Amino acid sequence: HTHKSSLKDLEELVAKLKVLAEKISEYRETEEAMRSTLLSAQKMAKSMVAEAEEEKKQPFWSFWRKKHE
């Protein structure tokens, strides 16, 4: 290897590292968005379960009236 080809190889490796670093950053952002979405879905599911538990305690007709008002 000559000095010029070694320098070119090094520049190519640096460019590849930059691309990889950008990809890692994108993956981290995607992971954070997915984590946030999952947390929101878990909160919504918990709320829906709590609401269903409360509705289960109500007599049927009061539940029916509430849904048809």
Side-chain angles (χ1 to χ4, degrees):
H1 261 22
T2 65
H3 178 70
K4 283 185 181 182
S5 65
S6 294
L7 186 57
K8 183 180 178 199
D9 289 346
L10 183 59
E11 289 171 350
E12 287 176 4
L13 288 173
V14 168
K16 288 179 182 180
L17 278 174
K18 285 180 182 180
V19 169
L20 290 174
E22 289 171 6
K23 286 293 179 189
I24 289 171
S25 179
E26 289 174 20
Y27 293 146
R28 284 185 179 148
E29 289 174 14
T30 300
E31 179 185 18
E32 184 56 37
M34 290 172 69
R35 189 183 315 262
S36 176
T37 300
L38 178 59
L39 184 59
S40 293
Q42 288 172 331
K43 287 179 182 178
M44 185 183 297
K46 187 175 181 179
S47 173
M48 292 171 72
V49 168
E51 184 178 329
E53 290 292 333
E54 283 301 312
E55 287 179 359
K56 187 170 73 171
K57 294 176 186 176
Q58 303 297 322
F60 174 77
W61 289 111
S62 100
F63 169 76
W64 185 86
R65 268 185 274 149
K66 180 180 172 187
K67 294 296 182 185
H68 292 89
E69 289 178 340

